């Protein structure tokens, strides 16, 4: 009796690979995201969105007559874990991978995917060097830091500011953006009266604000993240200093307003890719409706939505090239995909795999603490 | 000149907070020769408990903001003191006769435990104190606008420090603490209950640290589970700067560190602010290895 049970179990175990092999007939798309760690909220939102889009696609019949399966792997927002995640995903028969959020995390996985001939579409990694390496299978739906720097510089010039202070926080992203903006502003007649970094994670920035005020800038460009931006706004108001602040896309987070308070946050401006709430394309509206129906909330972060766009372009490339061959998918993304209507606007890629077109918009915080898209 | 005065007040305000936290490090070191690495997290706990009590009890609505905040501060200090005493009981007392390293490892473990516990209970996102609790008026002194609340907070930290100094210097328990700091064995022979003394130290230090956490939450608004790390490191530096184990030294070290930071940021470089503070620390340790006021709980009156 016992023997028979054992045999059944063994037979079951032997049949398992066959069953998995069956599932293999589906098209597998990988998702590498920070599901734990300090960026966990971003990663979990990425997974929610990609899951939703895959479910919609499968209900509509899938692509090339096959269903799509999402294989998610956690990179914990850490380069070493990301390298492991990339190794693991590479062995699981995926045709393409979505992800990931941080630039240094993406960098740790790039070569692994490239060697394994897997198309990678990054979603939140904005560092310039990622696409300057000439990797054939690398794409990203997020913009690059130099584009943001350009938009920052043009916005400051267009608004007619003559004396600009630039403050960053010494992280790769913030320093890079500050350098880009500074270089672009130097060529014009804008005077940069201040360029330095604060230490993130502290609570009191009044010493920095005092020093900034002594230089009498007409506007302050802060390229760091939202927690520090919120404190700066709050303490600036506390000292009764009335100077406009402009932030980079890392300040696009509703927590900015709760930290600064509505009064202090009012009329703060920042640059960011548009959130789908602000787009009226049919793709964006139907996505928003589906997201609300499933998760009973609006997607908080634009970076998670860019993961949805990564999924959409991969599917479009499989459909368009009629194949799951990595070379054909990459080729189609580079040349065949034009004016694709994504969730965050029109998508096309240039030769390096960077997204083409102007993605950045200017947002302004109103008296109620809402982020209002500026015309 | 105006910038100098402004930075001086900025530095003193931050320094007052550093000093309050530094007292906890220095008292524990004075008596046990142990660096309580979990002290920064007790500061964080103070900030979070303050927020929880503030929101759940609504004291400021019932008895007015001033009385409400004072009651709240007393409750936070009491609760954090209890947590501090429990920490001593569970993490340090069993290891008191073990090699020094075991207690240090235990302290680091306690720190990680507290940090994760706070994250699991309150979440990893930033939490925010209500905004309209404190008045935002400022007064003008020598052409410098100073927010009234900053003066109040600075005064509050001075009062707490003065109270502690009086307690240690003038009361019987304070004398016992000083005696145990000089020589635990001899103190025991003189009939002092050393375990009790150590418990007092672990009640007072965390209470002050918890109060500092709540003050930071009230004044700056934003708190999160990792905030104890930066403040703990700075306060620890301040304690060494003044002479670890030395109570007036911790106060002086805290205020000095705040001012050095503000001045370094203004006249040298913003990005190098922390490096400058630590450079000053290194210089002082080279030329005066026991810190500015020397390494001992003050045993002279």
């Amino acid at each position: 009796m016992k023997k028979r049970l054992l045999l059944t179990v063994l037979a079951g175990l032997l049949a398992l690979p066959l069953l998995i092999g069956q599932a293999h007939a589906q098209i597998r798309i990988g998702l590498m995201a920070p599901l734990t760690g300090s960026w966990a909220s971003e990663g979990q939102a990425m997974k929610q969105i990609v899951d939703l889009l895959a479910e919609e696609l499968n209900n509509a019949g899938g692509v090339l007559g096959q269903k799509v399966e999402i294989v998610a792997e956690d990179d914990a927002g850490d380069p070493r874990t990301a390298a492991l995640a990339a190794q693991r995903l590479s062995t699981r028969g995926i045709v393409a991978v979505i992800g990931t959020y941080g630039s240094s995390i993406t960098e740790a996985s790039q070569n692994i995917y490239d060697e394994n001939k897997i198309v990678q579409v990054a979603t939140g990694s904005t560092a310039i060097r990622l696409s300057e390496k000439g990797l054939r299978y690398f794409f990203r739906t997020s913009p690059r830091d130099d584009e943001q720097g350009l938009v920052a510089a043009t916005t400051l010039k267009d608004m007619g500011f003559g004396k600009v202070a630039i403050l960053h926080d010494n992280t790769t992203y913030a320093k890079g953006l500050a350098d880009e903006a500074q270089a672009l502003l130097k060529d014009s007649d804008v005077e940069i009266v201040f360029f330095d970094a604060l230490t993130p994670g502290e609570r009191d920035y009044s010493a920095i604000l005092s020093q900034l005020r002594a230089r009498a800038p007409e506007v302050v460009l802060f390229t760091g993240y939202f927690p520090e931006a919120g404190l700066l706004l709050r303490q600036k108001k506390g000292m009764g200093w009335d100077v406009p602040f402009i932030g980079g896309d890392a300040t696009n987070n509703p927590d900015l307003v709760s930290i600064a308070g509505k009064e202090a946050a009012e009329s703060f401006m920042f640059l960011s890719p548009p959130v789908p709430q602000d787009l009226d394309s049919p793709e964006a509206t139907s996505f928003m409706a589906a997201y609300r129906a499933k998760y009973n909330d609006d997607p908080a972060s634009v970076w998670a939505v860019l993961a949805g766009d990564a999924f959409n372009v991969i599917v479009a490339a499989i459909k368009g090239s009629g194949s799951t061959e990595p070379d054909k998918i990459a080729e189609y993304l580079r040349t065949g995909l034009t004016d694709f209507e994504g969730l965050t606007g029109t998508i096309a890629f240039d030769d390096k795999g960077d997204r083409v077109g102007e993605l950045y918009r200017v947002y302004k915080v109103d008296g109620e603490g809402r982020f209002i898209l500026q015309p | 000149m105006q910038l100098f005065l402004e930075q001086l007040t900025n530095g003193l305000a931050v320094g007052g907070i550093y000093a309050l936290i530094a007292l906890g490090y220095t008292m524990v070191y004075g008596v046990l020769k142990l660096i309580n690495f979990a002290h920064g997290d007790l500061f964080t706990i103070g900030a979070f408990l303050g927020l929880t009590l503030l929101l759940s009890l609504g004291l400021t609505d019932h008895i007015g903001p001033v009385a409400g905040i004072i009651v709240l501060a007393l409750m936070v200090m009491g609760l954090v003191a209890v947590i501090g005493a429990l920490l001593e009981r569970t993490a340090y007392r069993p290891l008191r006769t073990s090699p020094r390293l075991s207690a240090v490892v235990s302290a680091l473990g306690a720190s990680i435990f507290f940090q994760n516990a706070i994250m699991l209970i309150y979440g990893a996102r930033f939490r925010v104190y209500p905004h309209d609790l404190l008045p935002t008026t400022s007064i003008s002194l020598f052409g410098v606008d100073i927010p009234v609340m900053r003066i109040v907070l600075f005064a509050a930290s001075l009062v707490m420090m003065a109270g502690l100094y009086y307690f240690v210097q003038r009361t019987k328990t304070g004398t016992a603490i000083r005696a145990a700091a000089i020589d635990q064995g001899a103190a025991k022979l003189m009939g002092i209950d050393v375990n009790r003394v150590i418990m007092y130290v672990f009640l007072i230090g965390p209470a002050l640290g918890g109060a500092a956490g709540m003050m930071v939450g009230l004044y700056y608004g934003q708190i999160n589970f990792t905030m104890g790390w930066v403040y703990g490191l700075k306060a620890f530096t301040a304690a060494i700067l003044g002479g670890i184990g030395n109570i007036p030294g911790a106060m002086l070290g805290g205020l000095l560190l705040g001012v050095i930071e503000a001045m370094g940021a203004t006249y040298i470089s913003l990005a190098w602010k922390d490096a400058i503070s630590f450079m000053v620390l290194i210089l002082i340790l080279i030329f005066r290895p026991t810190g500015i006021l020397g390494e001992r709980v003050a045993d002279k009156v």
Side-chain angles (χ1 to χ4, degrees):
Chain A
M1 185 65 198
K2 253 188 184 166
K3 221 174 206 170
R4 193 180 291 170
L5 190 73
L6 198 72
L7 278 174
T8 325
V9 171
L10 272 178
L13 281 176
L14 283 173
L16 207 61
L18 287 175
L19 288 172
I20 293 173
Q22 210 95 60
H24 232 275
Q26 298 181 324
I27 295 177
R28 301 181 129 203
I29 295 176
L31 169 68
M32 186 172 72
L35 298 173
T36 59
S38 49
W39 297 329
S41 61
E42 293 287 353
Q44 280 158 9
M46 285 162 70
K47 183 160 186 327
Q48 282 188 344
I49 288 176
V50 172
D51 280 347
L52 169 69
L53 292 174
E55 192 185 304
E56 279 184 346
L57 181 76
N58 287 338
N59 289 343
V63 60
L64 302 183
Q66 285 173 302
K67 301 259 182 210
V68 167
E69 188 196 356
I70 300 296
V71 186
E73 197 73 56
D74 180 19
D75 65 44
D78 168 68
R80 279 160 303 176
T81 321
L84 283 176
Q87 301 273 19
R88 276 231 287 280
L89 279 174
S90 303
T91 61
R92 294 183 64 185
I94 56 170
V95 295
V97 65
I98 302 163
T100 185
Y101 176 68
S103 294
S104 48
I105 324 300
T106 298
E107 188 155 33
S109 68
Q110 272 185 313
N111 287 336
I112 299 170
Y113 290 126
D114 195 65
E115 279 161 19
N116 288 295
K117 294 196 173 181
I118 291 168
V119 173
Q120 179 179 22
V121 186
T123 61
S125 320
T126 56
I128 297 166
R129 62 173 183 276
L130 294 178
S131 56
E132 294 292 336
K133 296 176 179 170
L135 298 175
R136 278 177 64 205
Y137 302 106
F138 181 77
F139 299 85
R140 59 177 147 191
T141 50
S142 58
R144 288 192 353 170
D145 286 342
D146 50 352
E147 194 196 328
Q148 188 180 180
L150 181 65
V151 179
T154 355
T155 310
L156 290 173
K157 273 188 270 187
D158 287 353
M159 294 173 90
F161 292 115
K163 292 162 99 184
V164 179
I166 299 178
L167 182 66
H168 61 94
D169 68 6
N170 260 335
T171 57
T172 318
Y173 155 76
K175 176 90 170 31
L177 178 54
D179 285 341
E180 287 291 329
Q182 185 190 33
L184 289 165
L185 285 172
K186 260 189 181 153
D187 297 334
S188 62
D189 48 2
V190 177
E191 189 191 350
I192 295 168
V193 293
F194 182 95
F195 186 91
D196 212 336
L198 54 74
T199 316
E202 294 190 339
R203 291 295 174 282
D204 196 315
Y205 292 116
S206 43
I208 289 151
L209 287 166
S210 291
Q211 203 194 346
L212 271 169
R213 180 160 69 175
R215 305 285 179 87
E218 289 167 14
V219 64
V220 178
L221 172 68
F222 176 64
T223 62
Y225 290 76
F226 68 91
E228 285 76 31
L231 281 172
L232 284 168
L233 291 173
R234 184 180 170 129
Q235 287 164 24
K236 170 178 82 96
K237 174 140 181 82
M239 49 194 267
W241 186 31
D242 199 23
V243 69
F245 258 65
I246 294 184
D249 57 16
T251 56
N252 182 2
N253 191 306
D255 278 352
L256 172 97
V257 179
S258 57
I259 293 166
K262 281 178 195 162
E263 265 182 65
E266 186 176 355
S267 80
F268 172 71
M269 288 191 289
F270 62 85
L271 313 164
S272 171
V275 279
Q277 285 97 304
D278 297 323
L279 293 178
D280 46 9
S281 69
E283 285 77 12
T285 8
S286 76
F287 166 73
M288 285 302 289
Y291 190 91
R292 253 181 232 130
K294 181 155 186 185
Y295 301 113
N296 203 16
D297 199 3
D298 282 347
S301 149
V302 65
W303 309 111
V305 179
L306 288 169
D309 269 342
F311 176 81
N312 284 343
V313 293
I314 290 171
V315 172
I318 294 173
K319 202 185 281 174
S321 61
S323 152
T324 53
E325 286 284 309
D327 288 299
K328 286 190 179 150
I329 295 177
E331 184 56 29
Y332 186 86
L333 284 175
R334 208 160 263 134
T335 54
L337 195 82
T338 46
D339 296 336
F340 178 79
E341 277 302 326
L343 306 172
T344 56
T346 334
I347 303 177
F349 296 100
D350 66 10
D351 222 32
K352 291 172 182 160
D354 282 321
R355 189 163 169 181
V356 185
E358 277 182 19
L359 192 52
Y360 276 101
R361 307 292 155 83
V362 180
Y363 279 84
K364 193 171 190 173
V365 183
D366 75 354
E368 288 302 305
R370 289 174 303 216
F371 295 164
I372 306 296
L373 183 68
Q374 298 298 294
Chain B
M1 189 59 196
Q2 194 198 339
L3 183 65
F4 176 81
L5 284 176
E6 206 171 317
Q7 294 295 23
L8 189 68
T9 63
N10 290 338
L12 284 176
V14 187
I17 303 279
Y18 289 165
L20 269 188
I21 311 170
L23 285 171
Y25 282 106
T26 225
M27 284 180 75
V28 169
Y29 184 85
V31 175
L32 282 181
K33 301 282 172 288
L34 164 78
I35 307 293
N36 179 13
F37 282 109
H39 191 61
D41 302 290
L42 294 171
F43 160 85
T44 316
I45 292 176
F48 275 93
L49 279 179
L51 179 66
T52 309
L53 292 174
L54 185 71
L55 296 182
S56 56
L57 299 181
L59 273 176
T60 47
D61 299 332
H62 296 311
I63 52 175
V66 179
I69 286 172
I70 291 175
V71 173
L72 204 65
L74 291 175
M75 289 168 74
V76 168
M77 288 172 78
L79 286 172
V80 180
V82 171
I83 295 174
L86 283 175
L87 168 73
E88 192 269 330
R89 208 45 189 266
T90 50
Y92 300 143
R93 191 174 295 184
L95 297 169
R96 205 175 291 158
T97 50
S98 323
R100 187 91 47 89
L101 191 62
S102 319
V104 171
V105 173
S106 181
L108 284 171
S111 167
I112 294 168
F113 168 78
F114 279 136
Q115 217 175 83
N116 281 292
I118 302 167
M119 189 191 77
L120 290 173
I121 296 169
Y122 290 96
R125 280 178 68 181
F126 285 89
R127 300 296 298 266
V128 178
Y129 271 66
H131 280 264
D132 41 6
L133 222 52
L134 304 177
T136 50
T137 44
S138 33
I139 52 169
S140 199
L141 271 178
F142 309 108
V144 181
D145 284 327
I146 308 169
V148 176
M149 272 333 288
R150 169 173 285 190
I151 301 174
V152 173
L153 288 186
F154 184 61
S157 51
L158 283 187
V159 167
M160 278 190 256
M161 286 188 252
L164 176 70
Y165 191 71
Y166 176 84
F167 175 79
V168 171
Q169 295 295 337
R170 303 284 163 158
T171 64
K172 219 168 164 183
T173 321
T175 315
I177 291 178
R178 281 184 289 141
I182 295 166
D183 188 332
Q184 278 190 30
K188 233 176 241 165
L189 290 177
M190 299 305 289
I192 292 173
D193 184 348
V194 173
N195 274 337
R196 221 181 142 85
V197 165
I198 291 171
M199 195 191 73
Y200 275 119
V201 166
F202 272 94
L203 286 173
I204 298 167
L208 295 176
M214 194 191 128
M215 280 157 68
V216 164
L218 273 175
Y219 185 63
Y220 298 115
Q222 168 222 59
I223 59 176
N224 76 324
F225 71 104
T226 55
M227 67 191 276
W229 167 247
V230 175
Y231 274 94
L233 186 66
K234 294 285 175 66
F236 177 52
T237 314
I240 297 177
L241 195 63
I244 191 151
N246 184 324
I247 289 175
M251 303 180 196
L252 180 72
L255 295 176
L256 209 59
L257 187 70
V259 174
I260 291 172
E261 273 186 15
M263 294 301 169
T266 315
Y267 297 106
I268 306 175
S269 161
L270 208 75
W272 283 74
K273 191 186 71 168
D274 287 358
I276 294 162
S277 320
F278 288 111
M279 234 133 69
V280 171
L281 175 71
I282 291 167
L283 285 179
I284 288 199
L285 289 181
I286 290 174
F287 293 107
R288 205 179 148 72
T290 52
I292 298 173
L293 294 189
E295 182 185 327
R296 259 276 166 261
V297 169
D299 43 12
K300 289 183 300 210
V301 180

